Amino acid sequence: MSTSPSPALFDHNMNILSLFFLVLFPSMASDRASIDPNRTFLDKLRDRDSIRYTDFNYPFLIAQTGAAVQVPVADLAEWVRVYLKNGKLPLPSHFNTSNKGVINLDLPEPIRTGKQLEAINECKENKCLMKMHTTLEKKVMEGASNKLKTFQDLLNKRLDNYHKKRELLGYEDRTDDVEYVKKMLESFNFFSLRYPELGKYFSGQFWTGEGPPTDFQTSFMKQEVVNLAPDKMQPIWRVAEAFEFKLEGRWVFFEIHVYSNHYLDSSIRIYEVFPDGQRSIVVLTDVMEIDELTKSGLIRMLYKGKMEEAVIEAQAQDMKALLK
């Protein structure tokens, strides 16, 4: 007769043993707890200094880069803050009264010279290499005698309407990009699951004019130049509003992109900073609606992988600059 324990008895004994070790060594439980159950790829940061992740859910491409560093979480949050403020603009933002008055955006030198200036001066209603709304902006550009000044005036109007009416004007024939911000948060719901109050806010409450949640810290307008593929694509100049939130020892920086001059029909960017054991983690997320990837299935098949590589490499450069 066999004297081997039954499978049920074996499982029972193993469960007791597991509980014994968890009582003696509670850190084992936290080590096994996922950094984020909705993004299990982040758990690789337990053994690595950085990770990369991409996905595509039509029409949006998501790219995420995470890094773990041996600094206090508050210091890492300050690094992100300093990095973002490198492009800070002296323009009014929501909930920040330090900058008031008429919106007047000075175009950066790369946007008013060279090929960028050519694209502005050649802009017409039926063909414009700059991202603009067809009837509300391109048509005005076509009839303008000084197209550079008209371009700047139209951008000022965009920013003024965003600031006063929370309007997010789209490109081509799309007059409302607000719904696309909501769709991004719905398509990739990790943000709303991880930060339900913020997810609810940027999915609706912000756009109806409500004030910020109690964990709001500050907001400011910023600009940056993004080089997705410097050898093949024009640099992307975009203007955004950055919001900072502090939630129980972690920070979230949420960017709404009000204008992008090339390739991106809509986009948002998120930075998360939080502790994990003896290290602190920063996760950079881009959700982008890239015009080339919305044209046809064939183009997506040919270019999606290359675009994912380009976005991830651009994130790597941003993370390098942030952590230096």
Side-chain angles (χ1 to χ4, degrees):
M1 180 182 296
S2 172
T3 58
S4 300
S6 69
L9 179 60
F10 179 79
D11 290 342
H12 176 72
N13 290 338
M14 288 302 295
N15 288 335
I16 292 176
L17 186 61
S18 297
L19 289 173
F20 172 75
F21 276 107
L22 291 181
V23 171
L24 278 183
F25 308 103
S27 62
M28 292 179 63
S30 61
D31 288 344
R32 281 203 299 272
S34 181
I35 291 175
D36 184 344
N38 301 294
R39 291 176 290 173
T40 54
F41 66 89
L42 290 178
D43 292 341
K44 294 178 182 178
L45 286 171
R46 297 267 167 77
D47 303 313
R48 304 179 189 177
D49 291 332
S50 64
I51 56 95
R52 298 178 173 190
Y53 171 85
T54 60
D55 193 12
F56 184 78
N57 187 356
Y58 184 88
F60 305 121
L61 173 68
I62 186 172
Q64 297 189 293
T65 297
V69 292
Q70 292 280 359
V71 299
V73 66
D75 290 354
L76 183 53
E78 178 62 14
W79 291 1
V80 175
R81 195 175 297 116
V82 169
Y83 175 74
L84 293 179
K85 288 188 176 180
N86 284 335
K88 186 176 180 180
L89 291 167
L91 299 175
S93 65
H94 293 97
F95 323 125
N96 189 338
T97 59
S98 59
N99 293 311
K100 297 181 179 180
V102 177
I103 290 180
N104 186 17
L105 176 64
D106 291 328
L107 298 177
E109 191 270 341
I111 305 305
R112 47 187 171 81
T113 58
K115 291 185 178 180
Q116 303 285 350
L117 179 60
E118 289 180 19
I120 292 173
N121 285 330
E122 294 173 2
C123 181
K124 297 180 181 180
E125 184 177 356
N126 63 349
K127 183 181 180 181
C128 186
L129 297 180
M130 308 298 284
K131 282 285 184 182
M132 306 193 82
H133 189 270
T134 302
T135 56
L136 298 177
E137 294 177 327
K138 292 180 186 178
K139 191 172 183 178
V140 177
M141 287 287 290
E142 183 170 354
S145 57
N146 185 339
K147 291 192 176 182
L148 181 61
K149 182 180 183 304
T150 301
F151 178 72
Q152 184 169 356
D153 290 343
L154 290 170
L155 289 189
N156 286 332
K157 185 176 180 180
R158 264 183 182 263
L159 293 171
D160 193 51
N161 286 340
Y162 167 75
H163 180 66
K164 292 179 179 177
K165 300 188 290 184
R166 307 194 187 193
E167 173 187 281
L168 202 58
L169 183 64
Y171 308 113
E172 306 302 334
D173 298 323
R174 185 191 300 171
T175 56
D176 180 20
D177 257 354
V178 172
E179 293 305 312
Y180 283 78
V181 172
K182 297 177 181 179
K183 288 178 182 179
M184 290 179 203
L185 296 175
E186 181 181 345
S187 296
F188 301 103
N189 63 356
F190 75 91
F191 183 77
S192 297
L193 292 173
R194 185 71 164 176
Y195 314 102
E197 187 178 12
L198 296 185
K200 183 178 180 181
Y201 186 65
F202 285 112
S203 293
Q205 295 167 338
F206 171 75
W207 305 105
T208 58
E210 292 190 32
T214 55
D215 43 28
F216 170 78
Q217 300 294 298
T218 189
S219 67
F220 57 91
M221 301 299 295
K222 62 183 289 288
Q223 65 178 344
E224 64 183 335
V225 176
V226 182
N227 288 293
L228 290 184
D231 57 330
K232 299 176 182 178
M233 301 169 65
Q234 289 291 316
I236 301 170
W237 171 63
R238 64 187 178 196
V239 181
E241 182 169 17
F243 300 82
E244 178 184 344
F245 303 88
K246 183 180 179 183
L247 309 90
E248 297 181 356
R250 62 174 55 219
W251 280 261
V252 174
F253 302 82
F254 191 97
E255 286 187 15
I256 296 173
H257 299 143
V258 185
Y259 178 74
S260 300
N261 67 339
H262 295 303
Y263 310 121
L264 304 180
D265 287 335
S266 60
S267 60
I268 58 174
R269 172 170 271 203
I270 304 165
Y271 297 82
E272 302 164 73
V273 179
F274 51 88
D276 183 61
Q278 298 301 311
R279 300 200 294 176
S280 298
I281 291 175
V282 55
V283 181
L284 165 57
T285 300
D286 281 301
V287 184
M288 302 174 164
E289 182 191 10
I290 302 173
D291 53 18
E292 286 294 323
L293 298 183
T294 61
K295 290 180 178 179
S296 72
L298 176 61
I299 291 178
R300 283 194 293 279
M301 182 181 69
L302 294 174
Y303 293 106
K304 184 173 79 71
K306 295 179 181 179
M307 193 60 69
E308 286 175 331
E309 291 176 6
V311 172
I312 280 293
E313 181 55 35
Q315 284 192 345
Q317 296 304 314
D318 289 344
M319 192 69 81
K320 182 179 179 180
L322 188 159
L323 297 176
K324 68 177 182 179

